[in-house]
Amino acid sequence: MNTQEYIALEDQYNARNYQPLDVVLTRGNGVWVEDVEGRRYMDFLAAYSALNQGHCHPRIVKVMVEQAAKLALTSRAFRNDQLPLLAKELCELTGYEMMLPMNTGAEAVETAIKAARKWGYRIKGVPEDRARVIACYGNFHGRTITIVSFSPEEQYRDGFGPFTPGFTLIPYGEAEALEAAITPHTVAFLVEPIQGESGVVVPPPGYLRQVRDICNRHNILLILDEIQSGLGRTGRLLAADHEGVRGDMVTLGKALSGGMYPVSAVLASREVLGVFQPGDHGSTYGGNPLACAVAREALKVLVEEKLVERAAELGEYMLARLRQITSPHIQKVRGKGLWAGIVLKPEAGGARRFCEALLERGLLCKETHWNVIRLAPPLVITKDQIDWAVERLEEVLQMP
Ligand SMILES: *Cc1c(COP(=O)(O)O)cnc(C)c1O
């Protein structure tokens, strides 16, 4: 079958909840992918940072195949020999006391919200059913009904109500707005250290330290959603490490499995995750031995291949090169580590046409918020490969 035939089939039988670029991929290795026509592309999106370790990392593939042949799923009705090891290794790596494993990022966020509410009632003493969580304009935390209940994106909510109450939105990057929004019923502030879907929006320096201090003073939990920003993307293990800030809860997903399998987790203190009693919360696949073995190896690859350090070093290089591009279309380049948003001027006509032109030249990236080209290559990328990609970006950004 050729590209057009695959597209026709997908459009006939698969719900159209996405508008993908018309390239049909069939294999991947490191930063490279290949389509069904045998054309090669460099992946500069890395599945929104799920592929920090690169496509089909041989070490993770090996562990996945071996574990799949040995024991894949027990359910949490029984224990397995991989979950305790992942829990220990992930907590030791990040310095948090406990974890709770789930599958998708949205489930990790839902879990954090449930924990925050229960903590509010049981420990803080908020009256039953009155707990409120503060989140930010420009947020992206997933697609469940509760999460889109506080999405500022009209399209994410349109037609999906009624919504879950108990959320307040404030501007991102303004610590005073948090202080002003807190009430006696506030249990948590949920925030991305850098807003990914919003177009790699980096808050002002000191923001996370300020919100940490405000949360301490008002006895509310700081929940850092590091599903996209965490695990090396910004040049530190967690993006909040840049400011030396620790959350009361941290959500991880995406690169936690190196792109092999949905694995997510909530990290927190014993006090916070201790609010869950047996039966309070769960997931059939959450913490399964296949997921845990894959996540353990994905974390080992991150550490042993020094991908975090690599993102810091090459990220600086990539951002410097991007900022040197002269183009009539660029308004500014934002970013941290190997993560950047090229913000186009309103008159550039949107980012999609540039992404389509890049596809023609063998570079895969995706627009976000119509006027931002988001760049997030696998962290295994080399300097030469960055040069190759930047040359193509320079070329398309000269288009009329
Ligand atoms: C991707 C993402 C999520 C949702 O993860 P899914 O696995 O798609 O449910 C949540 N928060 C952030 C910051 C994300 O980037």
Side-chain angles (χ1 to χ4, degrees):
M1 288 208 296
N2 66 23
T3 296
Q4 289 317 316
E5 290 165 335
Y6 281 110
I7 292 173
L9 265 190
E10 179 169 330
D11 287 353
Q12 183 180 353
Y13 291 108
N14 188 68
R16 300 210 194 172
N17 57 327
Y18 278 89
Q19 192 194 7
L21 291 176
D22 283 338
V23 56
V24 181
L25 302 175
T26 187
R27 58 180 77 244
N29 186 321
V31 299
W32 297 103
V33 286
E34 196 183 301
D35 76 2
V36 292
E37 319 279 346
R39 286 184 293 243
R40 209 161 82 119
Y41 305 84
M42 190 186 287
D43 183 354
F44 236 65
L45 178 67
Y48 312 99
S49 286
L51 290 159
N52 286 0
Q53 297 87 340
H55 286 272
C56 302
H57 194 291
R59 282 180 55 178
I60 312 175
V61 170
K62 180 164 180 284
V63 165
M64 183 161 183
V65 169
E66 284 172 3
Q67 186 65 43
K70 195 174 161 216
L71 181 68
L73 180 64
T74 53
S75 86
R76 298 286 302 280
F78 313 110
R79 295 177 190 264
N80 71 68
D81 64 0
Q82 291 299 311
L83 175 58
L85 299 176
L86 172 64
K88 173 176 188 283
E89 288 161 10
L90 183 57
C91 288
E92 283 179 357
L93 180 66
T94 57
Y96 286 86
E97 285 177 349
M98 283 188 133
M99 73 143 205
L100 192 159
M102 295 296 279
N103 310 286
T104 64
E107 287 173 307
V109 173
E110 289 270 347
T111 301
I113 293 169
K114 285 173 98 173
R117 285 181 167 185
K118 212 182 245 300
W119 174 88
Y121 302 131
R122 300 289 188 274
I123 295 179
K124 182 168 175 173
V126 171
E128 206 61 33
D129 286 345
R130 301 294 294 278
R132 296 196 69 83
V133 171
I134 300 173
C136 289
Y137 287 106
N139 77 63
F140 182 84
H141 299 289
R143 302 287 205 153
T144 63
I145 297 268
T146 286
I147 293 171
V148 300
S149 295
F150 57 93
S151 173
E153 261 320 284
E154 202 33 59
Q155 195 196 353
Y156 295 178
R157 297 162 49 87
D158 184 32
F160 299 133
F163 297 108
T164 308
F167 297 93
T168 304
L169 287 181
I170 60 169
Y172 184 64
E174 297 175 22
E176 322 77 69
L178 174 61
E179 184 112 50
I182 292 170
T183 72
H185 298 155
T186 304
V187 295
F189 177 46
L190 169 62
V191 67
E192 297 156 84
I194 291 176
Q195 287 186 332
E197 297 305 301
S198 220
V200 194
V201 179
V202 183
Y207 175 63
L208 288 180
R209 271 201 304 275
Q210 286 173 293
V211 302
R212 174 70 274 176
D213 177 57
I214 294 167
C215 289
N216 289 349
R217 279 193 281 109
H218 293 272
N219 192 27
I220 68 177
L221 301 177
L222 175 61
I223 308 173
L224 300 173
D225 184 346
E226 295 254 19
I227 289 168
Q228 194 163 155
S229 61
L231 302 177
R233 175 55 55 190
T234 68
R236 300 296 295 264
L237 183 67
L238 300 179
D241 293 347
H242 286 284
E243 296 206 356
V245 165
R246 300 177 53 75
D248 297 295
M249 278 190 267
V250 174
T251 53
L252 293 178
K254 296 201 165 104
L256 185 52
S257 64
M260 286 290 164
Y261 190 86
V263 186
S264 67
V266 176
L267 300 170
S269 63
R270 200 168 300 282
E271 172 185 301
V272 172
L273 282 181
V275 300
F276 287 125
Q277 298 298 310
D280 281 352
H281 186 51
S283 160
T284 302
Y285 276 83
N288 75 71
L290 181 57
C292 294
V294 165
R296 291 179 64 205
E297 194 66 10
L299 291 172
K300 287 196 185 100
V301 165
L302 205 66
V303 172
E304 288 168 20
E305 296 192 1
K306 297 196 169 16
L307 296 183
V308 184
E309 294 83 348
R310 198 179 175 83
E313 202 180 302
L314 291 179
E316 229 168 90
Y317 177 73
M318 180 181 83
L319 283 170
R321 287 229 41 194
L322 292 175
R323 289 186 171 124
Q324 280 161 10
I325 297 177
T326 49
S327 156
H329 304 303
I330 299 180
Q331 188 174 75
K332 64 178 160 196
V333 175
R334 297 189 287 239
K336 197 144 209 158
L338 277 170
W339 202 17
I342 302 179
V343 186
L344 303 178
K345 292 178 185 164
E347 57 274 22
R352 177 93 183 182
R353 68 185 185 102
F354 295 99
C355 294
E356 282 167 356
L358 286 165
L359 172 69
E360 298 285 307
R361 288 162 178 79
L363 187 69
L364 297 184
C365 40
K366 187 71 166 66
E367 80 276 9
T368 180
H369 275 248
W370 98 274
N371 69 328
V372 183
I373 307 175
R374 177 189 5 201
L375 308 176
L379 309 183
V380 295
I381 198 166
T382 65
K383 195 158 172 263
D384 288 347
Q385 288 166 339
I386 291 174
D387 288 335
W388 187 92
V390 172
E391 278 162 33
R392 270 133 196 94
L393 281 157
E394 268 166 347
E395 202 177 299
V396 304
L397 286 161
Q398 302 312 317
M399 296 191 315

